[in-house]
Every structure is written in C-alpha cells, then in structure tokens.
C-alpha cells in the first residue's frame, strides 16, 4: 500500500560528486491487527533514486514515525506553506 512519487532532486554523498536525478519518495503505513482490532502503529518515509544500468545499490534514506509524529510533520508542512503564501502576498502587494 505504498505511495510512489518521483520528484526532481539531487543526491550528495560524502566524498562523492553531487548528481541530479529523479528522487523517489515513498510513504507506507505500518498497520498491526488481530481478529478484533487493527491499529496504525506509524509510518515510514523512504527517499531513494532508482537503479541505473547495472548499479547494485542506490542511495536511500528512511525515517520511521509514529502516527502522532506523522501528523505533526503534516502540520509543520502546512505552516511552512501558509508562511510562503503570506510572503508571496506581501511581495505581490509591493509590486
């Protein structure tokens, strides 16, 4: 039940040259349940590039969050978006 999204981005590893590539962004819920009840335990966010040619490995980073941390992240992202909208409005009003 993973969500697969790709965005333009870059990868920078220590002592390696920066390279631009499509970055895959997946987020998956962790659901645990028994015969009586199912519960969302949390979510995992993974970011990685897709394998090219004969690459054996690809850069990857993963973050595991509780459901509360996931909702906090969404709230923080919404606040950043709202602040950007306010800044854009101020710039538009000055022109």
């Amino acid at each position: 039940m993973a969500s697969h999204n790709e965005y333009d981005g870059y990868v920078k590893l220590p002592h390696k040259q920066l390279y631009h590539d499509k970055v895959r962004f997946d987020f998956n819920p962790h659901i645990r349940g028994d015969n009586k009840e199912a519960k969302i335990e949390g979510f995992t966010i993974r970011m990685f590039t897709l394998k090219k040619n004969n690459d054996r490995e690809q850069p990857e980073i993963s973050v595991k969050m509780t459901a509360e941390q996931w909702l906090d992240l969404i709230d923080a992202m919404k606040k950043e978006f709202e602040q950007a909208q306010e800044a854009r409005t101020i710039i538009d009003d000055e022109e």
Side-chain angles (χ1 to χ4, degrees), residues 80-94:
E80 286 296 319
F81 176 79
E82 290 168 352
Q83 289 174 353
Q85 288 290 74
E86 288 176 21
R88 185 191 56 79
T89 301
I90 291 168
I91 293 169
D92 284 348
D93 289 346
E94 290 177 358

Side-chain angles (χ1 to χ4, degrees), residues 42-56:
F43 295 85
T44 299
I45 295 175
R46 293 175 56 229
M47 291 178 281
F48 55 95
T49 59
L50 299 175
K51 292 182 181 180
K52 300 219 187 250
N53 303 327
N54 294 326
D55 291 346
R56 293 184 185 186

